[in-house]
């Protein structure tokens, strides 16, 4: 070899490891890691994908973007960002995560400064509607400085709009019940728009006969709200079907408070109402975003 140095090649022993040793069948699978459960974490379980909205009695409650819910037991079987995980109960002493308002908005760690009310307003038709909006969105509305006014009836809307004289920076948002094509509500909304306020007034509503039906029926232990004949007062007929006192307005007020007590956040409401209210808040604050 003429004294040339030899280059030593490493010897590879392809049979140093016993390929049939215990566990070889699962050696190619991804390992499942334990993850403490947290609110709002999005996971997959079987064919269901949703955010964690709570846990109780060994079950994790998930909710998808359409508002459908499913419970799954703690342990393996979940996917987090495509990786297999076993959800475990939260660790004791774990620092609390971000706090959220009842509407789902994140609460700042810094104390909020008091805000001067904006010129824009939101009108809400019905006392029960106003109470529900306050319970779920009240904190958010105070944060952005939007005052909610009580609208006694949709018939009063044209006069209210004419007196308010909306303009850019001074908008009106209006929430009404049963805003469907051909209804009185839709005709009055169109009357307001024809008066020249289409750009500064937004009349938005939901399909429900009454705001009561915007509460998810499972919150009152039912699969659906009672079907009340049109010739019967809706609220009294609903209470009667639920087996609650319904003789007079005092019974109606107590019945509504019973229903309202079951609402703790936006998750207890039908998605359509959540969308409508958020749209109204965006509409009346859009001229003031730079002030936030």
């Amino acid at each position: 070899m003429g004294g040339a140095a030899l280059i030593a090649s490493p010897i590879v022993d392809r049979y140093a490891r016993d390929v049939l040793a215990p566990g070889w069948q699962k050696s190619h699978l991804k390992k499942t890691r334990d993850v403490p459960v947290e609110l709002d974490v999005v996971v997959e379980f079987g064919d269901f994908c949703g955010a964690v909205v709570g846990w109780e009695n060994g079950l994790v409650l998930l909710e998808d973007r359409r508002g459908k819910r499913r419970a799954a037991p703690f342990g393996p079987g979940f996917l987090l960002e495509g990786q297999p995980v076993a959800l475990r109960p939260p660790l004791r002493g774990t620092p609390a995560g971000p706090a959220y308002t009842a509407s789902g908005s994140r609460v700042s760690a810094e104390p909020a400064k008091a805000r001067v009310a904006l010129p824009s307003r939101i009108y809400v038709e019905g006392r029960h509607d106003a109470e529900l909006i306050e319970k779920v969105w009240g904190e958010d509305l105070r944060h952005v400085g939007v005052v909610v006014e009580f609208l006694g009836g949709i018939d009063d809307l044209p006069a209210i709009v004419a007196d308010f004289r909306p303009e850019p920076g001074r908008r009106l948002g209006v929430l009404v019940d049963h805003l469907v094509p051909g209804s009185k509500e839709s005709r009055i909304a169109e009357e307001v728009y024809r008066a020249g306020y289409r750009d500064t007034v937004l009349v938005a509503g939901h399909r429900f006969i009454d705001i009561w039906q915007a509460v998810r029926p499972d919150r009152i232990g039912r699969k659906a709200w009672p079907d009340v004949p049109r010739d019967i007062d809706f609220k009294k007929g609903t209470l009667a079907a639920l087996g609650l006192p319904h003789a007079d307005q005092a019974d109606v007020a107590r019945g509504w408070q019973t229903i309202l007590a079951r609402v703790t956040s936006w998750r207890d409401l039908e998605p359509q109402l959540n969308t409508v209210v958020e749209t109204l808040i965006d509409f009346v604050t859009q001229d003031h975003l730079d002030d936030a």
Side-chain angles (χ1 to χ4, degrees):
M1 301 291 293
L6 295 177
I7 300 176
S9 299
I11 299 175
V12 178
D13 185 355
R14 292 181 294 172
Y15 305 102
R17 181 173 58 89
D18 184 357
V19 296
L20 296 181
W24 68 270
Q25 302 96 330
K26 299 181 179 180
S27 61
H28 65 289
L29 299 178
K30 294 181 179 179
K31 303 297 183 183
T32 297
R33 60 189 177 93
D34 287 350
V35 174
V37 69
E38 292 183 15
L39 287 175
D40 300 312
V41 170
V42 177
V43 296
E44 298 176 57
F45 185 80
D47 60 351
F48 192 85
C49 180
V52 174
V53 296
W55 53 87
E56 187 178 16
N57 299 326
L59 296 176
V60 181
L61 185 60
L62 306 177
E63 181 177 287
D64 69 11
R65 58 189 180 88
R66 297 182 180 86
K68 185 178 179 181
R69 295 187 175 189
R70 177 178 295 183
F74 275 115
F78 296 91
L79 289 179
L80 175 60
E81 298 180 348
Q83 301 298 315
V85 297
L87 288 186
R88 304 299 183 189
L91 299 175
R92 292 184 179 181
T94 300
Y100 295 86
T101 66
S103 70
S105 299
R106 181 172 292 192
V107 176
S108 173
E110 299 296 328
K113 296 180 180 179
R115 290 185 62 92
V116 177
L118 298 181
S120 301
R121 293 286 187 272
I122 291 179
Y123 273 80
V124 178
E125 183 189 20
R127 190 171 304 281
H128 295 173
D129 306 58
E131 290 175 348
L132 182 61
I133 299 305
E134 165 60 28
K135 185 166 188 178
V136 178
W137 285 275
E139 191 171 348
D140 298 69
L141 291 165
R142 284 185 286 277
H143 175 72
V144 296
V146 173
V147 174
V148 173
E149 303 277 3
F150 176 66
L151 176 63
I154 189 67
D155 297 298
D156 300 331
L157 183 60
I160 288 174
V161 172
D163 182 63
F164 190 83
R165 301 181 66 83
E167 59 184 10
R170 182 179 168 83
R171 297 171 179 266
L172 274 183
V174 186
L175 176 66
V176 298
D177 294 335
H178 204 225
L179 187 64
V180 296
S183 66
K184 178 180 73 172
E185 289 80 4
S186 64
R187 292 194 296 271
I188 292 178
E190 190 56 38
E191 177 184 340
V192 169
Y193 293 150
R194 286 198 304 268
Y197 298 109
R198 189 174 295 274
D199 294 333
T200 53
V201 176
L202 176 61
V203 181
H206 48 74
R207 69 179 187 279
F208 311 114
I209 297 173
D210 190 275
I211 196 68
W212 289 22
Q213 293 182 326
V215 178
R216 294 168 63 102
D218 62 294
R219 300 306 301 136
I220 59 169
R222 295 177 65 98
K223 293 183 178 179
W225 281 90
D227 186 12
V228 179
R230 299 184 69 175
D231 59 340
I232 297 178
D233 179 86
F234 174 80
K235 292 183 172 68
K236 292 181 178 180
T238 297
L239 293 176
L242 295 177
L244 297 174
H246 55 279
D248 52 29
Q249 286 304 118
D251 286 337
V252 170
R254 283 189 289 268
W256 166 242
Q257 291 304 317
T258 300
I259 296 168
L260 185 61
R262 302 293 183 90
V263 176
T264 59
S265 77
W266 63 273
R267 297 186 179 95
D268 300 317
L269 304 177
E270 295 288 354
Q272 187 187 30
L273 180 64
N274 293 321
T275 299
V276 168
V277 175
E278 296 290 345
T279 299
L280 285 171
I281 295 175
D282 290 344
F283 178 79
V284 299
T285 58
Q286 62 179 279
D287 299 320
H288 310 281
L289 294 179
D290 294 337
D291 302 329

